[in-house]
Amino acid sequence: METILVVNAGSSSLKFQLFDVVAGAPQRRIRGQLDGIGVDPRLRATDAAGVLLVDRAYPPAAIVDLPTAIEATRAWLQTLGGVEIHAIGHRVVHGGPDFDRPVLIDEAILGQLARFQSLAPLHQPNNLAPIRLAMDIAPDRAQVACFDTSFHRGHPAFADCYAIPRALYDEGVRRYGFHGLSYEYIADRLPEIAPEVARGRVIVAHLGSGASMCALLDGRSIESTMGFTALDGLPMGTRPGQLDPGVVLHLIEEKGMTAAEVTRLLYNGSGLKGLSGVSNDMRDLLASDDPGAGLAIDHFVHRASLHAGGLAAALGGLDAFVFTAGVGEHAAPIRTRIAERLAWLGADLDAAANEAGAPRISTPDSRVALLVIPTDEELMIARHTLALIGSRA
């Protein structure tokens, strides 16, 4: 049986899934993650039914970085019987101006993608590391890059440009948008879950450690809160979201910070973590009595509501609002507070349904459907990988 490995590599974790190809479609077989890299490494994996297959802790010195995490995961996968990986699909955050769809990877493509590492320093280097390793270990194995930026590449130039010299736009300094694999999955699911709004005016809120929103019209992205990099838009776990560029100039000119120091501050020391002084995890903030935690939550809700209004303006109204990703799927208090801010657009929250985590959390009389739809970026990657290796065959 053909099997596809999907890899989503981050700075402190390695997520992976195995999909068997059944009747021409990917069917999930194993879901796993090795997290706590360098601190408290732990490998966990379950089968499609949720049965635990492995839960193994490692000494910090054994899994010190992403390459060692990849090797440990590979060693465990090799202990499974009957697994022959035919292709590997990778989440790659930034595709730049050149890539508007998934692509088979070769050395030339890998070199092009490496150029975007400075635009996504938390993600791109880690996304590319497993690709390089797989090229060394199994150079004949097909690998497919699936980009978080691709879903947004159909925007008109007036939506994606900045008001800076046009030559910079031509060089690639433009708004790209991210979390595209998540938004693509939600757009595919909407006709099944809420067919009455699937082709209408929909805002999808991908709220997690990384957070953004996307405006969908007829299932296509027309606007997003993220821009040139994954720093823009909503406040996130450790990233500030929308920021006056003058703040960066101030940090450099008045505080004497180097570019590297500013990069670390904006990517690792800001957002909910920096503002609260407590944590970058919304669960910790909701459970905390610290005033800083309350301030961070208030700021997050306020900015999310402002961006929702802007996306509704881009759509010319609103038919549905979808919550997804870790915070969106599990934090009922955050859904409540954002939904209350959407009342002016016609949203009416069903409090009981929201507390229960129901798929539809709006009242029957609500003019705007409020939905909670779990995302599945890995399934989208598996589908794209299968489509691409199938077309090659």
Side-chain angles (χ1 to χ4, degrees), residues 46-57:
T46 59
D47 66 13
V51 175
L52 186 66
L53 299 176
V54 63
D55 188 351
R56 181 182 302 165

Side-chain angles (χ1 to χ4, degrees), residues 189-231:
R189 289 284 285 142
L190 274 172
E192 304 172 35
I193 295 172
E196 74 281 5
V197 299
R199 299 304 170 194
R201 303 164 297 182
V202 179
I203 294 174
V204 183
H206 179 106
L207 307 180
S209 178
S212 69
M213 290 182 182
C214 176
L216 300 180
L217 184 63
D218 193 23
R220 297 173 61 85
S221 169
I222 67 161
E223 185 58 271
S224 172
T225 57
M226 279 185 168
F228 181 56
T229 70
L231 286 171

Side-chain angles (χ1 to χ4, degrees), residues 271-306:
L272 301 178
K273 176 183 176 181
L275 188 58
S276 71
V278 174
S279 175
N280 65 322
D281 192 315
M282 184 63 77
R283 292 168 295 188
D284 296 338
L285 299 180
L286 288 169
S288 176
D289 293 328
D290 190 291
L295 174 63
I297 293 171
D298 289 344
H299 177 72
F300 181 84
V301 170
H302 176 64
R303 300 305 301 181
S305 304
L306 289 179

Side-chain angles (χ1 to χ4, degrees), residues 234-255:
L234 306 182
M236 292 163 259
T238 61
R239 287 169 272 169
Q242 187 176 18
L243 186 71
D244 183 340
V247 173
V248 176
L249 298 178
H250 173 79
L251 295 175
I252 294 171
E253 295 175 354
E254 301 298 326
K255 305 290 286 184

